Amino acid sequence: LEYLEISAEALESEVVVNEEVLRANYGENEASYRVLEQRDVNHLLIRLAERAPADEVQSAQDKAEDIRRRVAMGEKLQDISLELSKLDGTEVEGGETGYFGRGVMAPEFEEAAFALEVDEISEPVRTKFGYHLLKLKDIKPGRLRSFDESLPDVEAVYRAVGSKKLFFEQAERFSNLV
């Protein structure tokens, strides 16, 4: 014998799996199968340098507050964003964020987004990018994924842990034989 290769990945197929064991593993690790709350936001950004002079900061804040008033009076944030983006010299961006959870966006943006109710518009929010206005479109509440939804993940984790255990047992047995 010149060499022997022992691989945890190769041992995954030897791990005995049944529904009872997987359900027990799922129950012990429920936290791993939680889906956290997510928010879907429309936003408008008035670009502003992080260290902009005070007069530019005030101008951007005033513009954001004016836009917020217009939205409160019934105008659509998307329409205002399109209108302003066509004006010369106005650095305005807007759009949809899609669903996102905590820890993804700038902290100030995220704090504002998670404080809103559906269809509510935020006060102007300053980040390192400029001033944002956020309008909350939808909330996907956090929940625990069902066993059936999580089954492929539960089985993969169980097999990975089991194969590592088998690997260490075989490596120790080999070491003792040597």
Side-chain angles (χ1 to χ4, degrees):
L1 179 67
E2 291 184 25
Y3 71 92
L4 174 66
E5 183 178 338
I6 303 172
S7 163
E9 291 80 21
L11 295 171
E12 280 188 13
S13 63
E14 294 184 28
V15 176
V16 177
V17 176
N18 62 49
E19 187 172 336
E20 183 180 324
V21 168
L22 293 179
R23 282 193 183 277
N25 191 272
Y26 169 79
E28 292 167 7
N29 299 292
E30 274 187 358
S32 301
Y33 306 108
R34 287 213 169 276
V35 176
L36 300 177
E37 179 181 305
Q38 295 184 330
R39 300 277 172 129
D40 186 10
V41 172
N42 278 345
H43 78 104
L44 183 137
L45 168 64
I46 300 168
R47 284 214 171 272
L48 184 65
E50 199 168 357
R51 291 189 170 89
D55 61 326
E56 288 180 24
V57 171
Q58 188 61 53
S59 174
Q61 185 175 8
D62 291 345
K63 186 178 288 187
E65 288 172 359
D66 180 55
I67 294 167
R68 185 179 191 284
R69 278 191 292 276
R70 289 174 62 184
V71 171
M73 291 173 52
E75 288 187 62
K76 292 185 178 182
L77 192 61
Q78 301 91 325
D79 294 342
I80 297 170
S81 176
L82 285 171
E83 171 194 322
L84 293 176
S85 66
K86 292 177 183 175
L87 296 175
D88 292 333
T90 304
E91 286 196 58
V92 174
E93 295 179 15
E96 299 185 18
T97 60
Y99 285 95
F100 64 90
R102 293 194 180 270
V104 175
M105 301 293 188
E108 306 88 351
F109 186 102
E110 185 177 292
E111 185 178 324
F114 279 84
L116 293 173
E117 298 293 326
V118 174
D119 291 328
E120 186 179 8
I121 188 162
S122 72
E123 294 292 328
V125 176
R126 175 79 193 264
T127 69
K128 66 181 182 179
F129 306 106
Y131 277 98
H132 300 263
L133 287 172
L134 292 71
K135 185 169 184 180
L136 182 61
K137 289 175 36 180
D138 193 27
I139 299 172
K140 278 187 184 176
R143 65 182 181 85
L144 177 64
R145 288 175 30 210
S146 72
F147 173 75
D148 291 334
E149 283 178 285
S150 305
L151 184 57
D153 296 332
V154 174
E155 185 173 346
V157 168
Y158 185 79
R159 283 189 184 280
V161 170
S163 68
K164 287 180 182 155
K165 184 178 175 188
L166 286 175
F167 171 81
F168 288 117
E169 288 172 2
Q170 286 188 4
E172 187 175 331
R173 221 176 308 137
F174 178 72
S175 177
N176 290 340
L177 287 173
V178 169

